[in-house]
Amino acid sequence: MSQNLISIKSVTKSFTKGKTTITPLENLSLEVPRTEFLSLMGPSGSGKTTLLNLIAGIDSPTSGQIIIDGTDISTLSRAQLTKWRASHVGYIFQLYHLVPILSAYENVELPLLLGNFSKSERKKKILAALDLVGLSDRADHRPSELSGGQEQRVAIARAIVHDPELLVADEPTGDLDRESADSILNLLNTLAKEHGKTIVMVTHDPKASAAAHRALQLEKGQFSSEGNLLNTH
Amino acid sequence: MKLLILALKNLTRNRLRSLLTILGVAAGMFLYSSVQTMQHSLTIATEGNAVDTTLIVYRENRFCPMTSRLPEHYMPTIKRIEGVREVIPIQIAVNNCGASLDVITFRGVPPERLRKYNPNIKVIEGSYEQFVKQTDAALVGQHFAERRGLSAGSKFEAVGVNVTVAGIISSDSPQDENVAYVHLPFLQQASKLGLGIVTQFNVKVESADLLDSIASKIDETFKSDQQPTNTRPEKAFFADTAKQMIELIGFTRWLGLGAVFAVLGLVANAVLLIVRGRVKETAILQTLGFSRLAIGLMVVFEGILLGLVGGLIGVIGAMAFFHYKSFTLGNEGLTLALAPSTSVTLTGLGVAVALGLLASLYPAWKATSRPLVQSLSS
Ligand SMILES: Nc1ncnc2c1ncn2[C@@H]1O[C@H](COP(=O)(O)OP(=O)(O)OP(=O)(O)O)[C@@H](O)[C@H]1O
Ligand SMILES: [Mg+2]
């Protein structure tokens, strides 16, 4: 087993709309070791979300390789990618994106419906995930009955319930107050340290970035600085 | 399975919209089912079948029972023709000769001959003997009795004729269900036509392939008589005589087609709105790993559910409507009972489901064909 969970090799991504071509990522390489909590920062439009989507298998690169846990996902078709995502990635969005008509429990259940789990197995996993994010007592609540911080916790439970190795988060604290943001960051840290998750997080918030093991600065499709941060653990 | 439940839950999200769509579908399917009921009833009445061995002898060039007058004494002559099994003279009196929704038809027949001519008539209430005994007695078709709330022993009046119900009958011939059989001489007197005049003869022949030859033989026999005849198989007679009614019902086919398109447009529009409002959510589900097929199926389920629920209300509503109203369309003394049928009901439901499916195919495709990143960032 390779030591790096993510291995990105000279990836270029461009979007073509009509006659104009935008290349937010050009010849980019990156290695992310297992259980690392990595933060990506950079100005708006620098290609952070684009990179994250490539890592999460939501989009495919124009050229280059993206090898995750030994699989080159840049060669997979759209349908294959969908299947791959179902078992390998948990995605955490800035705006949580829970399904409003489903309870917290049912939202967390969604990824499990794609696997072969019995009802009781699902229940066990869901309760464990909700417990981990500290929301065991809110299982029956609808998203509208939860605070933003709580919604994000449910979203994190949804992202980890099927036990993927990789978690990606696009500005997970961008819409939260300081206190909620800090507790989400603590949670992500715990997931990396104690549960062996590899986490890639995009953020604009230096404090959020400081919570990660390593922070990368993306500018115009290139990493401009790298550091094994100010990190105190 | 879980997808189905999710689709169902999704429909309760915008309750008002779902409800309005379902009501629209129900109205459309009600119309469609009503039209189909008419078409179906008409088909049963006009389409010839192999076992049909009845000829109707009518006055040539006459279409209304009030103007068709034939001498009763033609009967023995017809009876003697080879291949004829049974003949019955019938005097018909109706309250309305044109097209009408509530016709009352009296058929005057020689009482003792009725059973011999048509052994399939079953007396389900009262008795045949009572009918034969009493001059002003009537045997009333089941459908007719239901419509007017009659039972054995009740008296009623129509077209200036007063009768007492001696029995209620059921028969496999739809026409029998909608008439009141009375004594021929009694009706001849009551309708002031006078004895010896009848409207038509009904002739049973030995086998269906003799129908045409016997018909021409009968017409040949009376050709140079004062009252020439025109003889046709019963269903052809129905088709010729009730032309107005048939044309009218034929026209309603277009209404049915219109209803189908209305339902299709309505469901398609509703599902398209649903899909539009949920672009992001659909993208999230795909991010979680739901396949495009699964997402598409969910959209289609929603369309089918709308069609099915609306269809159930509309189709069953139409069935109940025709059942309780028991309409009898009449034209020129012939009656067409608009009766609900299981086949029409089931077809109606099938059509509703198919429309739901058809209407949601495009939205389903639309929901899943966009690139994922694009939907996520919308
Ligand atoms: N689907 C797309 N089609 C065309 N251009 C796109 C698409 N997605 C991103 N881009 C372009 O790529 C560039 C990088 O976008 P990206 O979303 O990765 O930036 P970002 O770093 O996440 O910015 P922000 O901090 O504002 O979220 C932008 O110029 C954007 O307009
Ligand atoms: Mg972004």
Side-chain angles (χ1 to χ4, degrees):
Chain A
M1 201 195 285
S2 132
Q3 213 218 308
N4 291 333
L5 183 79
I6 305 172
S7 183
I8 295 176
K9 293 180 176 156
S10 15
V11 157
T12 298
K13 176 70 185 174
S14 32
F15 298 103
T16 309
K17 229 180 217 159
K19 281 176 196 155
T20 54
T21 299
I22 308 166
T23 308
L25 300 177
E26 197 160 6
N27 202 17
L28 197 80
S29 296
L30 171 70
E31 301 284 326
V32 183
R34 280 172 201 279
T35 78
E36 183 176 58
F37 180 6
L38 172 71
S39 115
L40 290 176
M41 290 188 70
S44 192
S46 57
K48 303 182 298 293
T49 299
T50 304
L51 179 58
L52 206 63
N53 285 342
L54 290 179
I55 294 174
I58 286 172
D59 209 350
S60 295
T62 311
S63 69
Q65 283 184 312
I66 298 174
I67 298 160
I68 297 190
D69 203 9
T71 310
D72 184 358
I73 64 165
S74 56
T75 61
L76 300 183
S77 69
R78 184 171 178 176
Q80 287 170 319
L81 274 177
T82 303
K83 237 180 159 174
W84 178 83
R85 280 198 304 272
S87 50
H88 292 86
V89 200
Y91 205 118
I92 300 158
F93 303 90
Q94 177 180 356
L95 295 174
Y96 339 121
H97 291 311
L98 301 174
V99 180
I101 46 161
L102 299 180
S103 67
Y105 183 97
E106 291 166 321
N107 265 290
V108 177
E109 187 177 24
L110 286 172
L112 295 179
L113 298 178
L114 298 161
N116 269 327
F117 301 106
S118 71
K119 201 172 173 174
S120 62
E121 280 175 306
R122 288 206 299 268
K123 189 170 178 181
K124 232 171 85 189
K125 285 172 188 282
I126 296 163
L127 294 180
L130 283 172
D131 189 42
L132 191 65
V133 300
L135 284 179
S136 307
D137 54 337
R138 299 299 166 99
D140 296 329
H141 289 227
R142 293 270 179 101
S144 57
E145 300 158 353
L146 298 171
S147 72
Q150 288 169 332
E151 279 194 74
Q152 191 60 297
R153 285 162 180 280
V154 174
I156 291 174
R158 181 176 68 182
I160 59 172
V161 70
H162 53 306
D163 203 24
E165 286 210 68
L166 173 63
L167 293 182
V168 296
D170 197 351
E171 302 184 38
T173 59
D175 214 47
L176 297 176
D177 59 68
R178 192 68 261 161
E179 202 179 326
S180 312
D182 285 342
S183 79
I184 293 291
L185 292 167
N186 276 336
L187 182 57
L188 291 177
N189 234 314
T190 314
L191 286 172
K193 249 198 266 173
E194 289 168 29
H195 299 270
K197 305 289 175 212
T198 307
I199 304 174
V200 181
M201 171 183 74
V202 165
T203 184
H204 278 129
D205 174 13
K207 238 189 135 192
S209 187
H213 304 164
R214 180 161 64 123
L216 291 176
Q217 184 78 18
L218 201 57
E219 238 158 89
K220 294 183 185 154
Q222 294 294 325
F223 293 121
S224 60
S225 76
E226 171 166 345
N228 263 333
L229 277 197
L230 347 138
N231 197 323
T232 43
H233 15 252
Chain B
M1 194 54 222
K2 281 275 175 178
L3 283 178
L4 227 168
I5 294 170
L6 194 58
L8 191 67
K9 280 191 177 165
N10 270 330
L11 282 179
T12 62
R13 257 180 191 191
N14 196 330
R15 265 166 231 240
L16 185 63
R17 186 164 71 196
S18 296
L19 200 72
L20 288 175
T21 307
I22 285 171
L23 279 180
V25 172
M29 290 314 296
F30 182 89
L31 181 58
Y32 173 80
S33 262
S34 302
V35 167
Q36 287 304 110
T37 302
M38 287 197 250
Q39 304 281 355
H40 184 74
S41 305
L42 185 66
T43 307
I44 291 177
T46 52
E47 238 166 46
N49 56 20
V51 291
D52 193 22
T53 53
T54 307
L55 285 172
I56 310 281
V57 185
Y58 222 61
R59 172 70 166 81
E60 195 181 26
N61 294 329
R62 297 293 150 81
F63 301 98
C64 179
M66 295 201 214
T67 53
S68 173
R69 288 178 192 175
L70 292 170
E72 201 177 331
H73 65 73
Y74 279 4
M75 185 173 88
T77 321
I78 296 173
K79 182 92 214 270
R80 273 196 300 274
I81 293 173
E82 201 174 327
V84 171
R85 198 170 60 205
E86 207 45 71
V87 186
I88 193 165
I90 301 181
Q91 165 72 54
I92 289 181
V94 289
N95 62 339
N96 191 338
C97 214
S100 143
L101 259 186
D102 184 30
V103 283
I104 290 156
T105 310
F106 286 108
R107 285 185 168 188
V109 291
E112 65 293 339
R113 280 196 90 87
L114 180 62
R115 181 158 257 182
K116 201 164 152 228
Y117 171 79
N118 190 350
N120 290 331
I121 288 183
K122 273 197 284 295
V123 180
I124 52 175
E125 198 192 314
S127 81
Y128 188 78
E129 288 66 37
Q130 183 62 31
F131 169 65
V132 178
K133 256 195 327 229
Q134 194 181 337
T135 24
D136 70 338
L139 279 179
V140 178
Q142 207 176 353
H143 195 250
F144 186 109
E146 259 169 40
R147 203 148 49 97
R148 308 216 101 208
L150 300 174
S151 57
S154 32
K155 288 179 190 299
F156 74 98
E157 184 273 341
V159 214
V161 183
N162 279 289
V163 292
T164 309
V165 178
I168 312 281
I169 55 168
S170 87
S171 152
D172 49 7
S173 155
Q175 287 295 316
D176 286 340
E177 298 279 347
N178 293 300
V179 297
Y181 281 104
V182 293
H183 293 206
L184 178 58
F186 169 78
L187 189 64
Q188 284 167 332
Q189 274 160 340
S191 62
K192 301 183 182 71
L193 272 177
L195 296 170
I197 302 291
V198 298
T199 309
Q200 67 190 56
F201 296 91
N202 283 20
V203 179
K204 282 239 156 95
V205 301
E206 297 290 353
S207 76
D209 50 317
L210 292 174
L211 282 172
D212 289 339
S213 65
I214 292 178
S216 37
K217 229 176 267 171
I218 293 173
D219 292 345
E220 192 62 30
T221 311
F222 303 112
K223 199 171 74 179
S224 42
D225 219 280
Q226 275 226 326
Q227 313 290 342
T229 59
N230 182 7
T231 306
R232 283 155 292 180
E234 191 175 28
K235 307 241 160 156
F237 171 77
F238 193 106
D240 289 351
T241 314
K243 253 198 197 109
Q244 293 175 339
M245 185 160 81
I246 290 167
E247 275 170 14
L248 198 72
I249 292 178
F251 171 76
T252 62
R253 193 184 314 252
W254 300 106
L255 299 183
L257 197 67
V260 162
F261 278 110
V263 168
L264 193 66
L266 192 65
V267 177
N269 179 51
V271 178
L272 213 54
L273 281 178
I274 287 174
V275 165
R276 286 251 171 89
R278 250 189 259 148
V279 171
K280 191 96 175 211
E281 188 177 316
T282 307
I284 303 297
L285 286 176
Q286 289 188 62
T287 303
L288 294 181
F290 283 85
S291 66
R292 289 205 271 172
L293 180 69
I295 305 279
L297 276 178
M298 214 158 73
V299 174
V300 171
F301 273 149
E302 284 184 56
I304 290 180
L305 275 173
L306 286 174
L308 184 65
V309 176
L312 272 172
I313 299 173
V315 169
I316 291 181
M319 191 166 97
F321 180 70
F322 280 103
H323 181 79
Y324 289 110
K325 283 289 195 180
S326 8
F327 286 117
T328 305
L329 217 70
N331 189 204
E332 312 293 2
L334 291 168
T335 55
L336 177 65
L338 301 180
S341 85
T342 350
S343 76
V344 167
T345 305
L346 292 180
T347 328
L349 282 180
V351 167
V353 168
L355 287 177
L357 173 79
L358 197 66
S360 48
L361 283 180
Y362 172 71
W365 177 81
K366 191 128 180 122
T368 56
S369 60
R370 273 182 93 185
L372 194 44
V373 259
Q374 210 170 313
S375 308
L376 272 177
S377 60
S378 61

